[in-house]
Amino acid sequence: LGYPVVVKVDAAGLTHKTEVGGVVLDLPDAAAVRAACAALTARAGAERFVVQERVGPGVELLLGARRDEVFGPVVVFGAGGVLTEVLRDVSVRLAPLGEGEADEMLREGARPRLLAGPRGLRPVEGAALVPLIHAIAGLIVAEPRIAEIDVNPLIAAGADVVAVDALVIVADG
């Protein structure tokens, strides 16, 4: 991978790693990784870890889908990362998406300002996001065993988009 890296807690049932202090960023070497794992074990009772390449800088986005009890499969797209719940800036559409709906999701709420590259970040090319939104919408429709998909954050800069964390919940049965 090279350095710097990120270490994350890997625990069953833990969906928001940052809320338990389960993510350590910018580790410069193997000794720092070992120290981070020891600290995460002490702080969060972690026994397993994920070590990932450090991605960024870029705009943090959320992309997901779920099976709504009333509407059926829906796809969501919006502001992501640690501010997801604070900003609550997401768009929701029925899946599968119709022509132009993914493009509309890019233009709603705070997304135009985010994608423009705030605070010196590279502007995000919408053309890089549209196929991903369609892919998640298609997946929730095609695979009835999937109850929920949560890709958060997606780190986007220019035409580069990297899924940093993802959760897929498969229904029993």
Side-chain angles (χ1 to χ4, degrees), residues 76-88:
V76 298
F77 177 76
V82 296
L83 297 178
T84 299
E85 285 82 14
V86 174
L87 296 178
R88 295 180 186 226

Side-chain angles (χ1 to χ4, degrees), residues 86 89 103-104 113 120 149:
V86 174
D89 178 54
D103 290 298
E104 289 173 1
R113 293 187 307 278
I149 304 166

Side-chain angles (χ1 to χ4, degrees), residues 120-134:
L121 294 174
R122 275 193 326 175
V124 178
E125 295 179 22
L129 296 170
V130 169
L132 300 177
I133 298 169
H134 279 283

Side-chain angles (χ1 to χ4, degrees), residues 124-161:
V124 178
E125 295 179 22
L129 296 170
V130 169
L132 300 177
I133 298 169
H134 279 283
I136 293 292
L139 181 58
I140 195 76
V141 170
E143 184 48 70
R145 294 177 300 165
I146 295 176
E148 185 174 340
I149 304 166
D150 182 21
V151 183
N152 185 19
L154 281 172
I155 304 289
D160 299 323
V161 182

